[in-house]
Amino acid sequence: MASSGYGDANQKIDYVFKVVLIGDSAVGKSQILARFARNDFSLDSKATIGVEFQTRTLVIQHKSVKAQIWDTAGQERS
């Protein structure tokens, strides 16, 4: 099972996953990232400009897994 910890900067990384969040503007991509990476949630968030990046390291089945997550600016609907 995944640990609730955020990992140790000096630990060995067994796997790295790179994930890009894409979708329409104002659907919650940044909030999903904030909750996962920092266990944070805010009702007062601003639109992402360009791209933001965060990481989190978990231990899953005794393996260290690092998630690198890119949050993109949303696509306006027409």
Side-chain angles (χ1 to χ4, degrees):
M1 278 296 144
S3 73
S4 61
Y6 288 86
D8 178 353
N10 297 322
Q11 78 184 90
K12 176 182 158 269
I13 304 296
D14 296 302
Y15 299 100
V16 176
F17 289 93
K18 297 178 183 182
V19 178
V20 179
L21 301 176
I22 59 172
D24 292 336
S25 183
V27 296
K29 297 179 300 294
S30 296
Q31 291 304 318
I32 289 172
L33 177 57
R35 176 66 83 181
F36 179 74
R38 301 185 314 266
N39 197 27
D40 184 35
F41 182 83
S42 173
L43 292 174
D44 302 320
S45 66
K46 296 184 174 129
T48 302
I49 298 173
V51 175
E52 294 183 11
F53 172 85
Q54 293 197 36
T55 65
R56 180 170 173 191
T57 302
L58 304 162
V59 175
I60 302 173
Q61 295 182 352
H62 308 291
K63 298 287 185 181
S64 178
V65 178
K66 183 175 189 176
Q68 297 177 341
I69 305 154
W70 295 81
D71 178 21
T72 63
Q75 299 295 315
E76 293 292 332
R77 299 186 92 181
S78 47

